[in-house]
Amino acid sequence: MCCAGIDVSKPHLDLALVFSTAKPTRFRFPNTPEGRQALLAALAHHRPDWVALEPTGPYHLPLLHLLAQRGFPVALVNPYHLAAFRRAAGERNKTDHQDALLLARYALVYREELQAYTLPPETLRELKALVGYREDLARRERAILNQQEAAHWAGSEEVIPLLQRELACVKELLREVEERIQALLSLIPEAEVLMALPGVGPQVAAAVLALLPPHLWGQAKRAAAYAGLIPEREVSGKSVERSRLSKKGPPLLQRKLFMGALVAVRHDPRMRAFYHRLLSRGKRKKQALVAVAHKLLRCMMGRLREYYANRLGQGVA
């Protein structure tokens, strides 16, 4: 039995190989096209049962895609789970080599529970990039509007024309990005299924399809857990039970679902009744809206489950 862990940084790729009957082996490669090919050659020689990576912004993506294309059993490890494993193992040091070794040991211990990464279709990869870029543009638009107001109150009239030109440019880019997102959604059958629900517009549907891994589509409970919309309970001895939102999912996905919940409460009688029922039980407005967002996501996954069942019944692959 052999498992590999790879710690990815901008300059380096640290590889650790853990064996059930031998001492661990460590290597370091540059995070360049040549370095990635050398790492793949080392993996091909040792043939590990699992390769474990931790997401590190954009720096792990070229290697991740190469591993998936070459057919290596690669798993992306949740940073929260790895941190808990580090504490359980009593690790005090945190270096690149140590992180690679920790990932390899994690894969060895949890090899039966790991989920193999599969390369998403090009449509979903482009959709994810555009959803993130749209959010950046929207933030920049709000910042420019705030700067305009500040310049007006400060009497800095000479700055306002420059800000107006920048705002026009950002608005045009936003329009182009939203058109491209709409075009991509038209190519994904699941988007139409999701947008049939009140509260689920193009922004919410795009965020769910782009940020929720495809293997979770149609799985309500696991999708809600991934999105961080499930409560965490704390009960110990005679202490009072406490419950709080997990918040371990993608923040952008949570924000878009919260936005969808606001719309659903206004336009969906069932969601509105659910929301007011929670308020009548003493829940605060924000707590009730989070519960609506949770319910909305589960409804979306339910629709997808029905869609896949119907396709299977019709013999569509």
Side-chain angles (χ1 to χ4, degrees), residues 206-224:
V208 169
L209 295 173
L211 302 175
L212 197 66
H215 69 270
L216 297 182
W217 293 2
Q219 300 189 42
K221 189 174 181 179
R222 293 182 65 194

Side-chain angles (χ1 to χ4, degrees), residues 6-8 52-56 60 75-79 82 99 103:
I6 305 174
D7 181 76
V8 181
L53 278 78
E54 185 181 16
T56 53
H60 72 287
L76 275 178
V77 178
N78 187 313
L82 189 65
D99 285 350
L103 281 162

Side-chain angles (χ1 to χ4, degrees), residues 99-169:
D99 285 350
L101 190 59
L102 191 73
L103 281 162
R105 287 173 174 161
Y106 181 95
L108 189 64
V109 172
Y110 294 103
R111 58 187 178 275
E112 301 296 333
E113 302 170 26
L114 293 178
Q115 177 74 44
Y117 174 84
T118 54
L119 196 63
E122 181 62 33
T123 303
L124 290 181
R125 281 185 276 167
E126 184 179 354
L127 182 64
K128 184 176 182 178
L130 287 173
V131 165
Y133 183 45
R134 188 209 171 279
E135 193 67 10
D136 292 339
L137 288 173
R139 278 196 296 265
R140 184 58 195 146
E141 182 184 32
R142 292 192 294 270
I144 295 170
L145 291 171
N146 291 337
Q147 288 176 301
Q148 280 186 328
E149 185 177 5
H152 173 75
W153 282 97
S156 305
E157 300 297 329
E158 66 279 0
V159 178
I160 293 179
L162 299 175
L163 290 170
Q164 288 174 337
R165 284 165 53 191
E166 185 181 4
L167 182 62
C169 180

